[in-house]
């Protein structure tokens, strides 16, 4: 065993570091967190004792017992132990937990940090060790304790008082609130339209577009103006050229990386951070959780040298960027490649795409501004037919005279190239069109734009953004939209030349697309409303941001941990105590939609256990129980109409019979539209249960029977079956499963063999892997 033992967080990181250290060093991994605050203790006492200075019980992760045993053995054999966990608060806390579990003195054990996994960085860290920073540890403890307190006390309130409520969190709930508020802004948006005019003009065989700066409020105005252009003349009244520059953005922080990867690569926050983690552990990029936009002097020098060699000295401009966030304590440098000359960092296409984005952004930040010329041509309209006022057309273009940083980072959009014209030049009209343009409501958040908003508000930190966004989707409070939008009519007016008539046509365009956007669900709206009404101080944006600042103060030794926890807990606990008087029925009040003409009963839209639904009849009546129907797709409790509700109650619908005479009924359930034959349910997505025909229903039924037959290899009649599963054939008795080796034909297995294999299998289901996620 080596004299020096280095403990890191991940096995991948361990392998990379061990390459750079000599034979005197042995590197092992804790595989993330080794201890956590349990949901409940063995003696039933709360794991966080708020009355005893927030004394906290930590339990070792059962999945880590073997890892800890190996680490204890290695610690005994080593003369020196080095804790090399990540350099943020979570990493500092893991280092402290390792000391506690392994019997190390945190005030004496070597603690080393580095921003990149390179030989120079690791060698330098070994030369400058420190000890565990207990202020950072206490900041992490405060965050974790606070989140657990909120989870322990607020989540049960949500379960009891909010239909379908799953949990509430200190940071996840403000994020849901943002989505809900945006959705309501969109619903309340009062749409209006105007008519935009575009003309195509020619000059010496060159054709270009010009737009009327003024927009018309009515179709009649646009129609009259187009008509006036038929016999008008067009003259260039002014040509202005303005030189300009465009500067590159700063190197990536965690937030801007997630935003750009979402916008340019379509990556979600979680996918971005997973790829970045792998690149960091492989030693290809610097630490990926950072608020900083700084680059080291060595990195700036390396970039300048590379840029000058590859593109020329005129492309190189050394820059330093100032970090806006006052709390950029979690790292000291932006995300950048460890070696700027390396173009290919991974065989994995996702990882490589992200690496390429990081590399190009880093290079661009150290390159010259792009130089361009902005040109505007003003065109005077001389019409014989009078209009309400003298109008002009404008054409704007941009010519890149020196691409600068765009050489590596791209131009973003194509430049509009304008012809060479001079003041006084006459132009010819080739075509003119006016199109109805609708005002756009506020845009729904993407994962990237939500991260940007959270950062602007000071909510969350680099290590938490991906977890926040993943949690609100996992809880069912938000979902990724998949709609291309709904069609709406658009009026287009076209000038017919040379006749001068104006043709009118109605075309369609999609509006309200949700594809790739985060959309608050009905459950999300309900939980946001509940928390806003009864726990507003806890999910207030300013308050949530101030809590993050308090964590920073604890890390900087400006605030005592328990003082901060007490200031939060006491008013929070009072709100929890008051919540016992909240009437569950008032949380999700039913909306009266209308009267069913057939039965005379009232139809209500309300929230049920699994989401919004429709109810026919009064639930207070004991003799006449109400019936229920799922909420129609695209409708909500607030918007569903009586017509939509009546159509929903037409289900279940008898489609017909199978060939052997069984009824086929179509309906909609929790998981979408289906048909039911006896006890068998068959999904019919994307068909509509209101109009699916008998032939299609029979085909889907037959396909389901065939799939089930292929799945069921053998049934011995006592609950023991041989099935074809996702990962191959297996035996089950409904309680435990037994694998079948590849050499055995599953069809040849007898009842006795099946029972023997089940007996040899584990008596209990395998415990799911314990994974400690960084959460907020």
């Amino acid at each position: 065993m080596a004299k020096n033992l280095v403990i890191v967080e991940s096995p991948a990181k361990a392998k990379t570091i061990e390459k750079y250290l000599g034979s005197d060093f042995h590197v092992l991994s804790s595989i993330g967190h080794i201890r956590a605050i349990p949901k409940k203790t063995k003696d039933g006492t709360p794991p966080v004792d708020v009355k005893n200075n927030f004394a906290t019980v930590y339990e070792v992760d059962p999945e880590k017992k073997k890892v800890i045993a190996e680490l204890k053995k290695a610690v005994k054999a080593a003369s020196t132990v080095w804790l090399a966990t990540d350099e943020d608060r979570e990493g500092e806390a893991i280092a402290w937990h390792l000391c506690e579990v392994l019997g190390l003195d945190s005030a004496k054990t070597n603690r080393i940090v580095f921003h990149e996994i390179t030989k120079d960085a690791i060698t330098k860290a070994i030369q400058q060790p420190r000890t565990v920073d207990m202020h950072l540890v206490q900041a992490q403890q405060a965050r974790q304790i606070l989140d657990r307190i909120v989870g322990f006390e607020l989540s049960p309130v949500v379960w009891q008082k909010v239909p379908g409520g799953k949990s509430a969190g200190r940071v996840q709930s403000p994020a849901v609130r943002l989505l809900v508020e945006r959705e309501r802004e969109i619903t309340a948006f009062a749409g209006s339209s105007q008519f935009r005019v575009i003309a195509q003009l020619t000059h010496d065989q060159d054709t270009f577009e010009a737009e009327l700066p003024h927009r018309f409020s009515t179709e009649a105005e646009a129609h009259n103006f187009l008509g006036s252009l038929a016999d008008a003349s067009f003259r260039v009244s002014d040509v202005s050229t303005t030189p300009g520059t465009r500067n590159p953005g700063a190197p990536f922080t965690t937030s801007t990386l997630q935003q750009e990867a979402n916008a340019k690569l379509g990556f979600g926050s979680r996918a971005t951070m997973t790829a970045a983690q792998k690149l960091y552990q492989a030693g290809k990029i610097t630490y990926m959780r950072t608020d900083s936009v700084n680059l080291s002097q060595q990195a700036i020098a390396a970039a300048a040298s590379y840029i000058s060699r590859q593109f020329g000295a005129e492309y190189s401009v050394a820059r330093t960027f100032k970090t806006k966030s006052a709390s950029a304590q979690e790292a000291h440098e932006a995300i950048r490649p460890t070696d700027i000359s390396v173009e290919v960092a991974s065989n994995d296409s996702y990882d490589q795409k992200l690496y390429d984005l990081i590399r190009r952004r880093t290079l661009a930040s150290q390159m010259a501004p792009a130089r361009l010329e902005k040109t505007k041509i003003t065109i005077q309209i001389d019409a014989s037919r009078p209009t309400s006022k003298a109008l002009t057309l404008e054409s704007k273009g941009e010519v890149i005279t020196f691409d600068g940083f765009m050489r590596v980072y791209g131009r973003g959009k194509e430049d509009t190239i304008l012809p060479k014209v001079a003041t006084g030049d006459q132009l010819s009209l080739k075509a003119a069109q006016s199109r109805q343009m609708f005002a756009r409501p506020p845009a729904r958040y993407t994962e990237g734009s939500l991260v940007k908003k959270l950062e602007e508000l000071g909510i969350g930190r680099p290590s938490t953004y991906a977890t926040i966004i993943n949690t609100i989707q996992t809880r069912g409070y938000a979902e990724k939209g998949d709609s291309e939008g709904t069609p709406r009519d658009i009026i287009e007016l076209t000038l017919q030349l040379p006749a001068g008539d104006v043709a009118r046509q109605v075309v369609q365009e999609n509006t309200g697309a949700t594809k790739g956007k985060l959309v608050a669900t009905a459950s999300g709206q309900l939980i946001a409303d509940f928390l806003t009404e009864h726990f507003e101080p806890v999910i207030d944006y300013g308050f949530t941001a101030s809590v993050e600042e308090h964590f920073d103060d604890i890390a900087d030794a400006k605030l005592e941990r328990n003082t901060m926890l007490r200031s939060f807990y006491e008013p929070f606990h009072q709100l929890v105590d008051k919540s016992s008087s909240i009437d569950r029925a008032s949380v999700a009040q039913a909306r009266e939609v209308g009267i069913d003409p057939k039965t005379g009963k009232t139809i209500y839209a309300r929230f049920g256990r699994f989401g919004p639904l429709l109810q026919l009849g009064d639930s207070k009546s004991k003799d006449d129980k109400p019936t229920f129907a799922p909420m129609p797709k695209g409708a909500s409790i607030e918007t569903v109409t009586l017509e939509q509700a009546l159509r929903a109650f037409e289900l279940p619908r008898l489609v017909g019979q199978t060939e052997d005479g069984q009824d086929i009924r179509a309906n909609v359930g929790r998981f979408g539209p289906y048909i039911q034959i006896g006890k068998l349910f068959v999904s019919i997505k994307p068909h509509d249960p209101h109009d699916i025909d008998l032939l299609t229903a029979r085909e889907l039924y037959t396909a389901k029977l065939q799939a089930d037959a292929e799945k069921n290899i053998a049934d011995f009649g006592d609950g023991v079956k041989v099935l074809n599963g996702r990962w191959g054939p297996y035996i089950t008795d409904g309680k435990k499963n037994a694998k079948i080796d590849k050499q055995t034909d599953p069809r040849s297995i007898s009842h006795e063999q099946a029972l023997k294999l089940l007996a040899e299998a584990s008596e209990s289901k395998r415990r799911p892997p314990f994974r400690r996620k960084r959460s907020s």
Side-chain angles (χ1 to χ4, degrees):
M1 181 63 69
K3 294 179 182 178
N4 293 278
L5 173 65
V6 180
I7 304 176
V8 297
E9 288 181 52
S10 74
K13 189 176 175 182
K15 288 179 183 178
T16 309
I17 292 173
E18 201 160 50
K19 289 191 302 183
Y20 298 127
L21 296 172
S23 57
D24 281 347
F25 287 83
H26 182 46
V27 186
L28 292 178
S29 166
S30 68
I31 317 179
H33 282 270
I34 58 169
R35 293 200 306 179
I37 303 174
K39 290 184 178 179
K40 59 182 179 180
T41 57
K42 293 176 183 177
D43 60 4
T45 58
V48 177
D49 188 349
V50 295
K51 295 179 180 178
N52 186 25
N53 288 323
F54 299 93
T56 307
V57 174
Y58 294 98
E59 285 187 1
V60 170
D61 174 359
E63 295 289 318
K64 297 292 179 66
K65 287 183 178 178
K66 185 178 178 181
V67 172
I68 291 170
E70 291 174 354
L71 290 174
K72 282 183 175 179
K73 185 178 178 181
V75 166
K76 286 181 180 178
S79 57
T80 308
V81 177
W82 307 77
L83 301 176
T85 49
D86 287 346
E87 63 174 321
D88 58 11
R89 292 177 196 157
E90 292 292 321
E92 205 71 22
I94 291 173
W96 175 75
H97 281 292
L98 284 167
C99 288
E100 294 287 297
V101 172
L102 301 178
L104 300 170
D105 186 347
S106 61
K108 295 179 181 178
T109 304
N110 289 320
R111 169 82 170 109
I112 56 172
V113 294
F114 34 82
H115 187 63
E116 60 187 58
I117 303 175
T118 59
K119 187 175 180 63
D120 288 346
I122 293 165
T123 302
K124 186 176 179 182
I126 291 286
Q127 293 170 351
Q128 299 175 342
R130 59 173 175 82
T131 56
V132 174
D133 186 334
M134 288 307 298
H135 295 300
L136 284 179
V137 173
Q138 287 169 5
Q140 190 273 348
Q141 289 175 342
R143 194 272 307 158
Q144 192 180 41
I145 290 169
L146 209 58
D147 290 344
R148 287 305 175 94
I149 287 173
V150 172
F152 290 147
E153 298 200 11
L154 185 53
S155 289
V157 175
V158 169
W159 301 335
Q160 294 165 16
K161 304 295 183 180
V162 183
K166 293 182 177 67
S167 71
R170 183 182 59 83
V171 181
Q172 76 178 49
S173 298
V176 174
R177 184 181 180 183
L178 280 170
L179 297 180
V180 170
E181 288 177 347
R182 179 55 53 88
E183 204 62 30
R184 288 183 174 152
E185 285 176 33
I186 293 169
T187 302
F189 181 76
S192 61
S193 68
Q194 293 181 314
F195 285 81
R196 175 191 184 196
V197 176
I198 298 286
Q200 285 187 324
L201 301 162
T202 58
H203 176 263
D204 290 343
Q205 312 275 315
D206 292 321
T207 301
F208 64 102
E209 286 190 346
E211 181 176 350
L212 187 73
H214 171 76
R215 294 191 177 183
F216 297 108
S217 301
T218 66
E219 180 184 348
E221 290 177 294
H223 185 283
N224 291 337
F225 177 75
L226 282 181
S228 73
L229 298 181
D231 54 4
S233 61
F234 302 85
R235 177 178 54 85
V236 175
S237 60
D238 185 55
V239 179
S240 63
T241 301
T242 307
T245 58
R246 190 175 299 164
N247 288 301
F252 284 131
T253 61
T254 305
S255 167
T256 55
L257 176 63
Q258 290 181 29
Q259 293 168 42
E260 195 79 343
N262 187 243
K264 288 201 168 184
L265 304 177
F267 286 12
S269 295
R270 196 175 186 184
T272 298
M273 294 311 292
T274 298
Q277 178 99 27
K278 286 160 68 178
L279 290 168
Y280 167 68
Q281 289 173 353
K284 302 302 182 183
I285 63 170
T286 53
Y287 193 53
M288 67 286 160
R289 295 188 183 99
T290 174
D291 287 336
S292 175
V293 291
N294 298 326
L295 292 178
S296 67
Q297 289 303 311
Q298 294 92 330
I300 292 173
S305 174
Y306 180 84
I307 292 164
S308 296
R309 287 197 316 271
Q310 293 295 116
F311 310 114
E314 70 274 18
Y315 279 88
S316 176
V317 173
R319 280 191 189 82
T320 56
F321 293 87
K322 188 175 181 182
T323 301
K324 293 179 182 178
S325 172
S327 63
Q329 89 303 326
E330 296 204 56
H332 308 292
E333 206 172 347
I335 304 169
R336 61 164 176 83
T338 54
D339 184 346
I340 200 70
S341 66
V342 173
E343 294 184 21
V344 178
S346 175
N347 294 325
D348 183 286
S349 61
Y350 283 90
D351 299 353
Q352 179 57 35
K353 284 179 182 177
L354 191 72
Y355 175 80
D356 184 57
L357 188 68
I358 294 167
R359 181 174 178 272
R360 286 188 291 112
R361 179 72 165 234
T362 306
L363 282 171
S365 75
Q366 299 304 306
M367 292 179 73
R371 295 195 294 271
L372 45 91
E373 283 189 350
K374 297 179 180 179
T375 302
K376 183 173 84 169
I377 301 173
T378 305
I379 300 145
Q380 183 69 43
I381 304 170
D382 296 317
S384 57
R385 199 186 309 174
T387 55
S388 58
K389 57 181 177 179
L391 296 172
T392 58
L393 297 172
E394 289 181 354
S395 186
K396 296 178 181 179
E398 197 172 83
V399 176
I400 304 296
T401 57
F402 175 66
D403 55 2
F405 76 93
M406 292 180 177
R407 182 79 172 266
V408 298
Y409 209 65
R411 299 187 177 190
K413 61 180 180 179
E414 293 298 318
D415 305 318
T416 302
I417 306 299
L418 299 177
K420 295 280 187 182
V421 295
T423 302
D425 284 354
Q426 293 294 320
L427 307 173
S428 300
L429 180 66
K430 183 177 181 181
Q433 185 183 64
S434 181
R435 183 180 173 91
Q436 189 178 19
M437 306 293 292
F438 283 86
R440 294 183 179 181
R444 289 182 174 90
Y445 289 106
T446 61
E447 287 197 13
S449 61
L450 181 59
V451 166
K452 184 178 182 181
K453 185 65 177 179
L454 291 170
E455 185 183 40
E456 286 173 0
L457 292 172
I459 296 172
R461 284 296 181 262
S463 61
T464 65
Y465 297 133
T467 303
I468 293 166
I469 290 172
N470 181 62
T471 300
I472 62 177
Q473 292 178 79
T474 303
R475 298 284 186 265
Y477 296 148
E479 60 188 12
K480 279 275 186 70
D482 58 6
S483 167
E484 298 286 356
T486 54
R488 72 173 166 200
D489 292 340
I490 298 288
I491 299 169
E492 279 189 352
L493 305 174
T494 304
L495 177 63
Q496 306 287 313
L497 294 173
D501 298 328
V502 176
R504 182 186 192 269
Q505 68 171 338
V506 176
V507 298
Q508 286 193 324
E509 71 173 12
N510 283 351
T511 182
T514 62
K515 194 167 186 178
K517 305 294 178 66
L518 287 171
V519 182
T521 62
S523 181
Q525 293 182 30
L526 191 64
I527 192 74
D529 289 344
F530 173 79
L531 294 174
T532 300
E533 181 175 355
H534 300 288
F535 291 89
E536 203 279 335
V538 180
I539 64 167
D540 175 75
Y541 302 134
F543 175 77
T544 306
S546 71
V547 170
E548 297 288 355
E549 291 171 1
H550 292 329
F551 295 153
D552 296 337
D553 290 340
I554 294 170
D556 294 335
K558 297 177 182 175
L559 179 64
E560 201 270 331
R561 188 198 77 167
N562 290 348
T563 302
M564 183 267 170
L565 289 172
R566 226 172 277 114
S567 68
F568 174 92
Y569 180 74
E570 289 172 1
F572 165 71
H573 187 66
Q574 290 175 5
L575 293 174
V576 173
D577 284 343
K578 283 173 61 179
S579 69
S580 60
S581 62
I582 300 170
D583 179 16
R584 179 183 170 92
S586 69
V587 174
Q589 289 184 334
R591 169 181 162 250
E592 189 174 312
V593 179
I595 304 296
D596 175 18
K598 290 182 181 177
T599 63
K601 295 179 180 178
T602 303
I603 297 177
Y604 300 94
R606 69 177 188 81
F607 207 92
R609 183 181 176 187
F610 300 113
L613 53 78
L614 295 168
Q615 175 181 312
L616 176 61
D618 196 331
S619 57
K620 295 177 182 177
S621 173
K622 294 181 180 178
D623 301 326
D624 190 10
K625 290 185 178 180
T627 55
F628 303 94
M631 187 66 65
K633 189 175 181 180
S636 66
I637 291 173
E638 294 82 9
T639 64
V640 65
T641 64
L642 179 59
E643 182 183 3
Q644 288 175 310
L646 292 173
R647 182 169 165 79
F649 279 106
E650 291 173 2
L651 300 175
R653 163 181 162 252
L654 180 63
V655 180
Q657 284 76 37
T658 62
E659 292 178 355
D660 59 357
Q662 297 183 79
D663 285 346
I664 303 175
R665 297 186 181 278
N667 205 347
V668 177
R670 267 183 77 195
F671 305 107
Y674 65 89
I675 52 173
Q676 181 180 357
I677 304 95
K679 294 183 178 180
L680 180 67
F681 295 85
V682 183
S683 172
I684 60 171
K685 289 179 182 178
H687 299 285
D688 189 329
H690 290 93
D691 52 30
I692 186 171
D693 59 67
L694 181 57
L695 178 61
T696 304
R698 282 180 172 178
E699 288 174 349
L700 291 169
Y701 172 55
T702 302
K704 173 67 173 175
L705 290 177
Q706 185 177 343
D708 285 351
E710 292 173 356
K711 177 183 177 182
N712 292 286
I713 299 171
D715 187 342
F716 297 110
D718 59 349
V720 177
K721 297 178 182 180
V722 182
L723 301 177
N724 213 345
R726 186 176 177 186
W727 288 282
Y730 66 98
I731 302 164
T732 183
D733 62 1
K735 295 180 180 178
K736 54 187 176 181
N737 302 331
K739 289 182 179 180
I740 300 171
D741 63 62
K742 293 180 180 180
Q743 288 73 35
T744 303
D745 182 354
R747 292 173 180 80
S748 69
I749 291 177
S750 66
H751 190 200
E752 291 73 19
Q753 286 175 307
L755 291 173
K756 183 181 177 184
L757 287 168
L758 282 170
E760 292 171 354
S762 172
E763 289 296 321
S764 60
K765 290 182 179 179
R766 184 169 175 254
R767 188 192 304 270
F770 182 101
R771 288 178 185 171
R772 170 60 40 204
K773 293 183 180 178
R774 296 182 176 187
S775 57
S776 63

